[in-house]
Amino acid sequence: MTDIASHRGGALLWPENSRISFEQTAKLPVEQVEFDVHPTRDGRLVVIHDDTLDRTTDGSGPVSARRWDELNRLVLKGTGGQRMLLLDEVIDIFRHTGIVLRIEIKAGPDRVPYPAGHAAGVVAALKHAGVLDRSVITSFQLGTVVEAVAESRPMRHVWLVLPQVQVDVGIDGVIAAAKAQKVPMLGLRTNMLDAGNVAAVRAAGLGIGGWACNDAAGIAKLFDLGVDVFTTDRPDLALARRNALRSGA
Ligand code: MG
């Protein structure tokens, strides 16, 4: 049965990438929790989605332009005063659970990847925390995934494929690029997934996941397609659907 990943800690249920969202997700019978990491100016790894602070905190400007002691003073919107978390703090929330950490390595401003070595640094941090064997690394930047795969093979790290990329090169082009780079798994947007491209990806020996799966129709579709895993802002809906399927409803 398809695995469920609580996206940004369940972003339509709780403030995304916050302690609240992760502590609530930790109570759910989901297989994975998804969150996003950026580097600080002084080399720490922080959990936040955007490359800038404006949307989700009371700060502004690029995340990577600030030191951790500056970021640590900012408040996450909608949390009643909580601050953003370091990667190690999120790891600690899930350490006592069996939930897989699904870490998205984000690019910097204008989608420019952070300097080479950043992905390797994330892998090293996971290794140091003793959780590399229960972690999955994802990125929209193929080079970032390749760096992670090279550092920690044979983990099932994931290339997240933008719809524009999939349209431009076709599913066969996407598969060829992943195979050439030894990337073992693809993540396609929910509206870009169908039985034909799931079959093509599987025939190539790659894993297949879905992202942006946030309503009942999309969730039902991805269970029907039998993808390996999908990320959802509504883990409650996904769990309800899976329970119904398991009970034969
Ligand atoms: Mg993400």
Side-chain angles (χ1 to χ4, degrees):
M1 183 75 79
T2 299
D3 284 348
I4 298 167
S6 181
H7 182 241
R8 304 184 207 169
L12 283 173
L13 298 177
W14 305 291
E16 67 179 56
N17 284 327
S18 68
R19 178 172 291 278
I20 298 170
S21 71
F22 295 131
E23 288 180 347
Q24 291 300 316
T25 287
K27 298 175 186 171
L28 299 177
V30 295
E31 287 71 34
Q32 300 191 5
V33 57
E34 193 268 0
F35 53 90
D36 312 279
V37 296
H38 288 268
T40 70
R41 199 176 100 195
D42 53 340
R44 309 293 292 273
L45 295 169
V46 286
V47 176
I48 185 170
H49 179 272
D50 297 2
D51 58 75
T52 54
L53 297 161
D54 304 64
R55 181 177 63 88
T56 58
T57 81
D58 62 351
S60 64
V63 175
S64 59
R66 304 295 190 87
R67 297 185 313 270
W68 168 240
D69 67 322
E70 299 172 278
L71 296 173
N72 194 26
R73 290 196 289 268
L74 303 178
V75 169
L76 290 177
K77 292 177 182 173
T79 63
Q82 294 184 353
R83 57 173 180 75
M84 74 178 72
L85 299 174
L86 292 163
L87 171 62
D88 282 338
E89 292 176 306
V90 178
I91 290 171
D92 282 344
I93 292 171
F94 289 95
R95 192 177 286 283
H96 67 285
T97 74
I99 295 176
V100 166
L101 308 172
R102 186 178 186 90
I103 298 129
E104 182 180 349
I105 300 182
K106 285 293 191 186
D110 300 322
R111 305 184 72 82
V112 177
Y114 292 111
H118 173 54
V122 174
V123 170
L126 296 169
K127 198 177 292 182
H128 184 258
V131 293
L132 184 58
D133 62 350
R134 53 178 284 197
S135 299
V136 172
I137 287 177
T138 76
S139 181
F140 284 100
Q141 281 70 43
L142 181 55
T144 299
V145 185
V146 169
E147 189 177 318
V149 168
E151 289 294 318
S152 54
R153 200 173 290 151
M155 296 297 298
R156 291 184 66 78
H157 300 323
V158 181
W159 179 27
L160 302 170
V161 182
L162 280 176
Q164 301 94 301
V165 172
Q166 190 177 331
V167 169
D168 285 353
V169 305
I171 192 65
D172 291 340
V174 168
I175 291 168
K179 296 278 282 186
Q181 300 288 346
K182 297 185 165 47
V183 171
M185 190 163 185
L186 297 172
L188 306 188
R189 199 176 198 283
T190 298
N191 65 330
M192 299 294 287
L193 274 162
D194 59 32
N197 53 36
V198 170
V201 172
R202 291 217 187 280
L206 303 176
I208 180 74
W211 54 274
C213 186
N214 299 323
D215 60 26
I219 288 166
K221 170 183 160 175
L222 293 202
F223 280 120
D224 287 348
L225 287 174
V227 297
D228 297 315
V229 58
F230 63 84
T231 54
T232 178
D233 293 334
R234 289 294 305 269
D236 56 334
L237 289 182
L239 286 165
R241 178 67 185 173
R242 189 166 64 182
N243 287 340
L245 290 168
R246 283 176 172 164
S247 65

